[in-house]
Amino acid sequence: MGPTDVQVRAGGEGDLAALTELYNHYVRETAITFDTEPFAPEQRLPWLRSHPEDGPHRLLVAQDTRSGEILGYATSSPFRPKAAYATSVEVSVYLSPTAGGRGIGTLLYEELFEALATEDVHRAYAGIAQPNEASARLHARFGFRPVGTHREVGRKFGRYWDVAWFEKEL
């Protein structure tokens, strides 16, 4: 599969079941997210609706143009709820377990940061549960720099996990 076989587009309600299934893999199998219980699609609907097709809070999906399979998604979300944080976003990428190492995360972030370039966004932040070298490399490729680590900030699978924080100027 090459880049021409992948379409990046805004996510919509028709993607909800596939996006929930993809995310639930990380909930069940990894410490990449600190959610601990899988979601039903209807539980994820408010999350999906909080990412419209325009504005600073986006949801982009990568879809295989041949099979229709959702290969991954990228989001920009509010960094914190207080008004003074409005020009900062938290970004993330989640890929299908079979889609890693194929440039899909790069493709998603290229599109996301191109879209954010037209918005009133000053900084992007990414929290990466440790260890996660693939995610650290992806973020470094896009100019993210480490700004600190929250030590043992989350407990999942009977142990504590660190989260390294990265920042990108927009």
Side-chain angles (χ1 to χ4, degrees):
M1 174 183 309
T4 59
D5 297 326
V6 179
Q7 173 193 22
V8 175
R9 59 173 176 73
E13 290 189 23
D15 303 312
L16 185 60
L19 293 173
T20 303
E21 181 179 329
L22 192 158
Y23 185 72
N24 280 341
H25 163 78
Y26 291 95
V27 173
R28 287 188 305 268
E29 305 295 329
T30 77
I32 287 173
T33 177
F34 287 174
D35 281 314
T36 58
E37 295 295 326
F39 290 88
E42 59 272 10
Q43 292 174 299
R44 294 283 285 173
L45 189 56
W47 164 82
L48 187 137
R49 288 181 175 162
S50 72
H51 296 89
E53 289 191 28
D54 58 5
H57 307 133
R58 307 268 181 127
L59 164 63
L60 298 178
V61 299
Q63 185 172 25
D64 183 316
T65 58
R66 294 172 300 166
S67 70
E69 176 189 4
I70 299 294
L71 302 171
Y73 68 90
T75 59
S76 58
S77 302
F79 177 65
R80 296 267 173 104
K82 295 180 181 173
Y85 290 113
T87 61
S88 296
V89 293
E90 184 173 348
V91 297
S92 62
V93 170
Y94 286 89
L95 299 178
S96 159
T98 61
R102 300 188 335 209
I104 295 166
T106 297
L107 189 61
L108 282 161
Y109 262 2
E110 285 172 350
E111 296 282 336
L112 180 63
F113 290 120
E114 184 178 311
L116 291 178
T118 66
E119 300 296 335
D120 183 21
V121 179
H122 184 63
R123 292 280 190 273
Y125 295 91
I128 303 173
Q130 298 298 298
N132 189 334
E133 286 302 315
S135 187
R137 280 192 310 272
L138 174 66
H139 287 86
R141 191 175 310 124
F142 281 89
F144 281 82
R145 300 287 176 249
V147 293
T149 300
H150 294 166
R151 301 274 177 216
E152 298 186 351
V153 69
R155 186 171 64 187
K156 188 172 180 179
F157 303 135
R159 66 169 274 205
Y160 286 96
W161 300 89
D162 296 347
V163 174
W165 284 92
F166 295 77
E167 176 185 72
K168 174 183 173 61
E169 292 182 27
L170 298 175

